[in-house]
Amino acid sequence: MEKFGKSQPITRIEDQRFLTGHGEYVDDIAPAGALHALVFRSPVAHGRITALDVGAARDAEGVHMVVTAADLDAAGITAGIWGITIENRDGTPAAGPERPILARDRLRHVGEPVAVVIAETLDHARDAAELIELDYDDLPAKLGLAPGGEAIHPDAAPDNRAFDWAMGDEAACASALERAAHVVRMQVDDNRVIVNSMEPRGCFAEWQGGRLHLSFNGQGVWGPKAQIARVLGLDRDQVRVTNPDVGGGFGMKAPPYNEYFVVAHAARALGRPVRWMSERTEAMLSDHAGRDLTHEVMMGFDADHRITGYRVDSRCNLGAYNSNFGQIIQTTLFSKVMMGTYDVQDTFLHVEGYYTNTTQVDAYRGAGRPEAIYLLERVMDMAARELGVDPWELRRRNFIPADAFPYVSATGETYDVGDFARVLNHAEAAADRDGFEARRAASAARGRLRGMGLAYYIESILGDPSEGAKVEFGADGTATIYVGTQSNGQGHETVYAHFLSDQTGIPPDRIRVVQGDSDLIEKGGGTGGSRSVTVQANATLATVDVMVAAFTPYLAEKLGVDESAVSFDHETFRAPGSNLTPTLLEAAQMALADGRTDLLVHEARATLPARSYPNGAHVAEVEVDPDTGKVTLDRYTVVDDFGNLINPLLAEGQVHGGVAQGVGQALTEHTVFDEDGQLLTATFMDYAMPRADDLPMIGFATEPVPSTANPMGMKGCGEAGTVGAMAATANAVLDALWARGVRRADMPFTPSRVWEMLNEDGTPQAAE
């Protein structure tokens, strides 16, 4: 990486304002005098509404409006919330029941919005909500991932099954398994998690000159803009959507939620701004959850321990409704890395999705890829045990060879490059595998059990491969870059400014990054699927080309040379025989002085030809206290192939955060509903988020194999930490417990669950 701004560990410029309390989050910037919204939510998981009386609430002090489903209908707002639907394996469409903005006729999960109170103050709204009378007939709650139960939606009756989907050649996979010398079978559960971003969801809406401005703390503005226009019956040019500073998104904040539509409607009806901010328990009841699925899996091996076939049968929980991406996460997105880094073509994936009386399940850091790699790497570890081979060598034996790229996977992904054995060798040394047995013996001397777990992951970068950028030069000698992605805390302001600086020579402190405003850039794909830096840098390169092409004839005339004689060396323009070497900022000031305002704004869109595939090895070491079941994560090492990096410091930070979320799911986070569908883990007193002392220092290194899918050679890194962390941690725990007879271990590995595993009779699963 040849120039400043690439592969330089530059600290984040935005942290200064965040750490000094100058961040501008949605609740900080709501308009003065905005009314407050409070959501009245369903107290039960399943019920038939028999009466809803909001009269007393409407008459309460300080109340301006109470909105129900009937009020939305009367206002002509009848469209429901949109979610992608897929096609069943028999060619019929998957279920697509209405997801109403406010509950109509039925209550389908605890926390479902029923009515919204708009009042002068939040206290007025709270008092009024206490006056709402909701009568309902209880219905049995459907919670399990099996056919049957009380029907939640008519078009998913009688089984509550939303879809029955498959990918792959079932007969070919069956044949591969039949001819295998060994077949490993497992059941693997992937527990539900509550996302819990640092900043809960919130929004405000205001009407200005016949246009709606909705500001919410999300992951992009153009998708929600289209949805809000559709639901409210507006032309798209009547809607402006903005994202201010956002305190964490993780996929959960990507879609528009029920509350945003109601707040926008209320602001229009009342002619005043309206604001809403979720409280923590409210968020835990209503935010889209993550994971929540179970698998039955078969993996075949020949006599040389090469994989012959892989079959996965999954059942996944959609919650009460189709969410934004709920139906595609465990189907098409899971399939993208189903076979991971292993050279196998005979695969079959079968997934059934079920509605339950719980909060919707949608994207959570990785969206399908962590689930796929978690399953695959758990199976690989179990296979090594059953086959009596080294788990590291089993992976090496089955890796796609480095000379086989580009490689088309069994599910149609074209991996452009890879050298998985080289990355794994680096991880083996970095994790000091040679010293593990001595550390295990030291743990045993203290009465502890020690285990080491490996996971080798690959992920597929998702989202729109196209993106736009706009650069505008100011009269004050600065440049502003407008981007179509949205930072949720990743450090985009730093990365984008330094990348533009690297390509143009404009000093980073003279560059301002603007994001999250649908009025300021025509189109953008937002942030999700680890797409941001690769697609935005590609768009920036295209915009730089546009700038250089625009300034070249102007400067040729100023320098008195032919256009062909003018060159740009990423810092200055030059021409033979001229002593003038203007920078882009100087050229812009010259253009401004000459009245050439057409040279002050430059914009371009660019599309990546293919996706990139970050990959790497995670190695976890745990120590287990058999008397209490407490698991201590003692060592953690990551070696990633992210290709070329713009800023390794920020990439490492992304890995640290991702590992924390994966480890949190593995060790502490446990979502629990009772038999009536009541969430029992709705506060941080009951839901254990990982703390600082739950994590060791995380060793991080890179072993880059530059991607050929973009001109920068980059591979996205935003979700990689989570994709690898769950299986590495789980495999380490099972490794520690194996000698004590434990043969199945599912997340979360809380002390009580681990103690129970150690005190139950473990029955080995035998290979055929």
Side-chain angles (χ1 to χ4, degrees):
M1 305 297 282
E2 70 281 5
K3 290 184 290 296
F4 182 78
K6 290 183 181 179
S7 285
Q8 299 295 319
I10 300 162
T11 56
R12 301 189 342 166
I13 58 176
E14 51 266 67
D15 286 351
Q16 179 69 26
R17 76 168 190 278
F18 291 150
L19 295 175
T20 57
H22 292 87
E24 294 189 342
Y25 297 93
V26 69
D27 205 37
D28 299 324
I29 61 172
L35 301 173
H36 290 262
L38 183 135
V39 183
F40 176 82
R41 300 183 180 275
S42 172
V44 295
H46 204 187
R48 184 177 293 108
I49 298 174
T50 58
L52 176 62
D53 186 351
V54 298
R58 283 181 172 142
D59 293 337
E61 181 184 357
V63 172
H64 290 253
M65 188 180 198
V66 179
V67 185
T68 67
D71 298 312
L72 294 178
D73 290 342
I77 302 173
T78 57
I81 295 176
W82 170 88
I84 296 172
T85 55
I86 58 176
E87 192 174 88
N88 291 316
R89 60 194 300 191
D90 64 3
T92 60
E98 178 197 19
R99 181 181 173 188
I101 295 171
L102 296 174
R104 179 189 292 109
D105 303 326
R106 282 274 194 112
L107 306 169
R108 290 185 171 90
H109 69 88
V110 175
E112 180 174 10
V114 176
V116 179
V117 179
I118 313 295
E120 198 67 37
T121 69
L122 192 55
D123 285 340
H124 285 134
R126 288 192 179 109
D127 290 343
E130 295 288 335
L131 302 176
I132 295 176
E133 296 182 12
L134 172 66
D135 292 329
Y136 51 86
D137 292 334
D138 280 308
L139 294 170
K142 158 71 174 174
L143 299 175
L145 295 182
E150 183 76 22
I152 297 175
H153 300 290
D155 51 352
D159 293 335
N160 284 307
R161 185 163 55 192
F163 61 79
D164 182 2
W165 182 92
M167 172 179 277
D169 189 329
E170 187 172 13
C173 185
S175 177
L177 292 169
E178 286 170 6
R179 67 175 182 267
H182 308 278
V183 176
V184 177
R185 292 179 168 86
M186 286 184 74
Q187 179 180 335
V188 179
D189 295 339
D190 196 336
N191 50 309
R192 175 184 282 236
V193 290
I194 300 172
V195 177
N196 284 317
S197 55
M198 181 175 69
E199 176 200 23
R201 289 188 299 114
C203 70
F204 68 79
E206 56 185 343
W207 285 78
Q208 301 169 323
R211 297 184 74 222
L212 167 66
H213 172 213
L214 179 84
S215 182
F216 79 105
N217 48 10
Q219 295 177 222
V221 296
W222 290 270
K225 171 176 174 156
Q227 291 297 319
I228 289 162
R230 177 185 65 87
V231 170
L232 296 183
L234 300 170
D235 292 334
R236 292 180 67 165
D237 61 7
Q238 290 180 271
V239 179
R240 177 192 179 203
V241 177
T242 60
N243 292 152
D245 288 327
V246 178
F250 314 117
M252 179 272 290
K253 285 184 181 172
Y257 282 79
N258 312 57
E259 298 89 357
Y260 309 159
F261 301 109
V262 180
V263 166
H265 164 67
R268 175 169 58 176
L270 296 171
R272 285 185 60 179
V274 178
R275 63 191 295 172
W276 170 76
M277 176 56 66
S278 174
E279 296 180 346
R280 182 60 64 183
T281 291
E282 182 181 18
M284 298 173 93
L285 288 169
S286 63
D287 292 351
H288 294 166
R291 318 301 186 218
D292 204 345
L293 64 161
T294 186
H295 312 276
E296 299 283 346
V297 60
M298 300 169 64
M299 182 177 282
F301 291 83
D302 66 16
D304 294 324
H305 301 148
R306 295 189 182 277
I307 305 169
T308 64
Y310 182 47
R311 175 175 179 135
V312 176
D313 290 271
S314 300
R315 286 169 285 137
C316 66
N317 192 346
L318 296 173
Y321 298 99
N322 293 333
S323 58
N324 206 38
F325 303 120
Q327 289 199 8
I328 67 169
I329 289 172
Q330 309 309 341
T331 54
T332 58
L333 302 191
F334 183 106
S335 75
K336 290 185 182 301
V337 294
M338 175 185 173
M339 201 62 247
T341 56
Y342 306 117
D343 186 11
V344 182
Q345 290 296 311
D346 290 324
T347 65
F348 182 69
L349 172 61
H350 171 225
V351 188
E352 295 175 297
Y354 288 92
Y355 296 116
T356 65
N357 292 118
T358 62
T359 311
Q360 289 67 244
V361 178
D362 206 298
Y364 175 53
R365 203 165 189 166
R369 290 101 76 213
E371 294 92 325
I373 296 300
Y374 175 68
L375 174 64
L376 177 62
E377 290 299 288
R378 292 301 309 274
V379 176
M380 288 296 287
D381 225 56
M382 182 61 74
R385 296 183 184 281
E386 294 190 5
L387 297 171
V389 299
D390 180 82
W392 295 63
E393 292 309 313
L394 184 64
R395 289 171 170 86
R396 288 189 176 99
R397 179 165 299 195
N398 286 282
F399 276 155
I400 300 163
D403 61 2
F405 295 93
Y407 177 90
V408 180
S409 75
T411 53
E413 295 294 295
T414 301
Y415 297 167
D416 58 332
V417 292
D419 194 341
F420 308 137
R422 172 155 61 96
V423 176
L424 187 60
N425 292 343
H426 188 158
E428 189 169 21
D432 185 26
R433 189 182 179 211
D434 289 344
F436 172 69
E437 288 304 328
R439 294 191 294 275
R440 174 176 267 174
S443 293
R446 299 193 303 275
R448 303 288 194 266
L449 308 172
R450 180 174 283 265
M452 173 180 278
L454 166 66
Y456 201 103
Y457 79 91
I458 191 168
E459 68 156 325
S460 171
I461 301 310
L462 303 177
D464 188 347
S466 65
E467 193 50 83
K470 179 171 69 175
V471 174
E472 182 175 4
F473 293 99
D476 59 352
T478 63
T480 300
I481 180 169
Y482 300 87
V483 299
T485 55
Q486 175 62 45
S487 177
N488 300 155
Q490 300 95 327
H492 287 180
E493 293 173 46
T494 300
V495 172
Y496 295 158
H498 280 271
F499 187 77
L500 180 62
S501 174
D502 172 74
Q503 299 302 316
T504 63
I506 301 172
D509 62 357
R510 308 302 296 275
I511 297 172
R512 185 169 68 104
V513 177
V514 173
Q515 59 185 340
D517 190 330
S518 65
D519 276 3
L520 297 181
I521 189 167
E522 182 179 354
K523 184 180 179 183
T527 287
S530 301
R531 72 182 288 272
S532 294
V533 172
T534 51
V535 296
Q536 197 65 65
N538 194 43
T540 299
L541 287 178
T543 305
V544 171
D545 288 344
V546 168
M547 284 193 290
V548 172
F551 275 109
T552 294
Y554 167 73
L555 290 173
E557 183 178 351
K558 298 287 283 187
L559 300 175
V561 299
D562 291 336
E563 289 183 28
S564 60
V566 178
S567 63
F568 182 68
D569 62 4
H570 299 289
E571 291 183 359
T572 59
F573 288 94
R574 296 177 180 273
S578 174
N579 291 327
L580 293 177
T581 57
T583 66
L584 264 170
L585 284 182
E586 290 168 343
Q589 293 302 302
M590 292 163 61
L592 182 65
D594 289 341
R596 291 290 306 274
T597 56
D598 58 305
L599 292 176
L600 301 183
V601 181
H602 308 269
E603 189 168 6
R605 289 191 64 78
T607 301
L608 293 176
R611 286 192 287 270
S612 63
Y613 295 88
N615 62 89
H618 287 228
V619 186
E621 269 188 52
V622 301
E623 192 175 70
V624 179
D625 183 345
D627 294 330
T628 65
K630 178 175 173 53
V631 177
T632 299
L633 183 62
D634 187 56
R635 295 166 63 97
Y636 203 97
T637 304
V638 182
V639 177
D640 286 309
D641 169 16
F642 290 151
N644 294 331
L645 292 172
I646 297 177
N647 189 325
L649 180 65
L650 300 196
E652 183 174 3
Q654 286 296 290
V655 171
H656 287 177
V659 167
Q661 288 179 286
V663 168
Q665 179 177 357
L667 296 185
T668 67
E669 298 184 48
H670 194 191
T671 307
V672 181
F673 295 92
D674 71 10
E675 61 184 7
D676 296 319
Q678 293 290 336
L679 180 63
L680 302 181
T681 50
T683 73
F684 287 155
M685 292 292 289
D686 308 299
Y687 187 89
M689 294 288 285
R691 270 64 168 182
D693 63 353
D694 291 318
L695 290 161
M697 298 300 291
I698 298 170
F700 172 76
T702 61
E703 187 70 39
V705 181
S707 175
T708 62
N710 60 76
M712 302 78 65
M714 294 190 238
K715 301 175 183 178
C717 65
E719 295 160 311
T722 303
V723 178
M726 300 184 315
T729 307
N731 287 339
V733 173
L734 186 57
D735 186 50
L737 304 182
W738 190 265
R740 294 285 295 267
V742 176
R743 296 297 180 262
R744 178 177 176 185
D746 284 318
M747 305 182 293
F749 302 109
T750 59
S752 62
R753 286 167 62 92
V754 172
W755 188 90
E756 289 173 0
M757 293 175 197
L758 286 166
N759 288 277
E760 291 176 352
D761 185 23
T763 303
Q765 296 172 298
E768 293 182 352

